[in-house]
Amino acid sequence: MADTLYRGRFAPSPTGPLHFGSLVTALASYLEARIHQGQWLVRIEDLDPLRESPEATDSILHSLTCHGLIPDAPVRFQSARHDAYKTAIEQLLSDGLAYRCACSRKQLQQQQGKHPEHCREGHTEPGNRPFAIRFALRDETSHWPDDLLGPQTQRVTAEVDDPVILRKEGFYAYQLAVVVDDIDQGITDVVRGSDLLDMTAQQQQIYRALGATPPNWLHIPVILNEEGQKLSKQNRAPALDDRQPAANLIAALEALGQRPPADLNQQPVVNILTWATRHWQREAIPLTSR
Ligand code: GLU
């Protein structure tokens, strides 16, 4: 029976062009949405104008199109969503679930994450100093099933782990924006790289604080380069060559443990995606590099 409720997304931060590792993530989330006869959305997480560029956004969207990864709704840009993040922060502050913090990174490091000014209790006023806003976590050991990795357990420590949700520079932080938008867009299933696995228990608390139920999660292994480093923009992973989308898709399918037939790379991208949807085997995704 069609699962009409499934809604997934690919949510890149535009710090550089799409590289092979992000294609693998995009493809996995696309195929999961397709096999569930769900919707697949693309959201550009452009929260930090100092690290991100409109050129990278254009290049990512162009690459996705070249690879046939066309979203089912208009692309959302987090840079246009500041009002929603502001409202969420105001709600968290008024519920006592967020607090202002002017501590420096050094101060926090020196005290193993404890706040010298007891910011959580709201005893100190930042005054003229720049301050961040942090989410107030509860001490908790979270258990949940990852759809690929199986049962997960994560410990979250109040105060020490409290994530920044509004940075001192005035930018909204990933940890808040990702949850606000996943809630607002009705995302039921998050498929993303396992480099974000450690964020999950904190995000579950933010979901609940905003009155929502967390989605299902599926973390796929991060693709490593030959030196064993994560393929990422920071490691200068090469941009995908958009002139050979068929070869890139075949390589991405192979990285996901699928076994495309040898002549599939002669086909147009839509045929490759159709084959991949028909033959998608989640269990075949290798877990080795997680
Ligand atoms: N924007 C995040 C990144 O590019 C991913 C967000 C997510 O999938 O949760 O790393």
Side-chain angles (χ1 to χ4, degrees):
M1 201 180 73
D3 180 0
T4 48
L5 291 177
Y6 185 108
R7 199 182 270 212
R9 64 11 173 226
F10 174 58
S13 305
T15 50
L18 202 69
H19 57 77
F20 182 67
S22 36
L23 177 68
V24 169
T25 305
L27 181 60
S29 73
Y30 174 89
L31 292 172
E32 280 288 323
R34 285 288 164 269
I35 60 153
H36 289 93
Q37 293 164 38
Q39 285 196 315
W40 185 69
L41 310 183
V42 170
R43 185 171 69 230
I44 297 291
E45 303 212 315
D46 48 353
L47 291 169
D48 181 347
L50 304 179
R51 289 182 59 234
E52 298 156 352
S53 70
E55 292 75 28
T57 295
D58 292 346
S59 153
I60 289 171
L61 294 175
H62 180 254
S63 280
L64 290 172
T65 305
C66 290
H67 291 81
L69 299 171
I70 314 288
D72 297 313
V75 174
R76 172 172 287 197
F77 295 87
Q78 289 194 324
S79 53
R81 296 272 304 150
H82 291 181
D83 287 351
Y85 311 140
K86 185 164 178 270
T87 304
I89 288 179
E90 281 163 3
Q91 182 190 329
L92 294 173
L93 283 169
S94 75
D95 291 347
L97 292 170
Y99 59 92
R100 294 175 180 80
C101 165
C103 298
S104 67
R105 194 171 300 189
K106 196 167 160 205
Q107 280 178 311
L108 292 173
Q109 265 167 6
Q110 281 166 351
Q111 299 211 41
Q112 286 79 41
K114 293 275 176 203
H115 293 237
E117 301 190 32
H118 306 285
C119 310
R120 250 179 99 114
E121 286 89 63
H123 289 160
T124 44
E125 275 302 318
N128 292 330
R129 292 175 298 163
F131 63 87
I133 297 182
R134 288 178 185 269
F135 179 74
L137 291 165
R138 279 186 290 120
D139 277 317
E140 187 181 34
T141 303
S142 281
H143 303 275
W144 77 95
D146 184 280
D147 284 341
L148 181 67
L149 307 178
Q152 300 295 308
T153 300
Q154 259 173 35
R155 175 103 197 115
V156 162
T157 308
E159 182 169 357
V160 170
D161 293 335
D162 287 352
V164 169
I165 53 177
L166 178 70
R167 292 165 48 191
K168 280 184 185 164
E169 302 88 342
F171 303 142
Y172 295 99
Y174 159 70
Q175 203 61 328
L176 175 85
V178 72
V179 173
V180 169
D181 279 324
D182 281 343
I183 294 171
D184 184 70
Q185 295 189 285
I187 299 301
T188 59
D189 291 74
V190 169
V191 176
R192 61 183 181 185
S194 56
D195 54 325
L196 293 165
L197 184 60
D198 289 348
M199 303 285 193
T200 310
Q202 292 188 11
Q203 289 174 3
Q204 288 168 347
Q205 288 203 19
I206 301 176
Y207 269 88
R208 297 197 179 98
L210 294 172
T213 308
N216 300 317
W217 314 84
L218 189 163
H219 288 87
I220 59 162
V222 167
I223 305 294
L224 304 179
N225 66 15
E226 276 157 19
E227 283 89 56
Q229 296 163 321
K230 182 193 159 196
L231 261 193
S232 70
K233 295 145 201 161
Q234 287 74 19
N235 291 331
R236 292 201 205 89
L240 280 177
D241 183 349
D242 287 337
R243 291 164 308 179
Q244 45 162 20
N248 296 334
L249 284 174
I250 299 288
L253 285 170
E254 285 169 349
L256 288 164
Q258 314 297 304
R259 293 164 171 251
D263 57 357
L264 193 62
N265 63 3
Q266 307 302 325
Q267 299 279 330
V269 291
V270 310
N271 294 9
I272 297 175
L273 293 173
T274 303
W275 180 91
T277 306
R278 286 211 187 110
H279 296 89
W280 177 239
Q281 296 209 3
R282 180 197 283 172
E283 335 55 80
I285 301 175
L287 303 181
T288 43
S289 56
R290 91 192 125 147

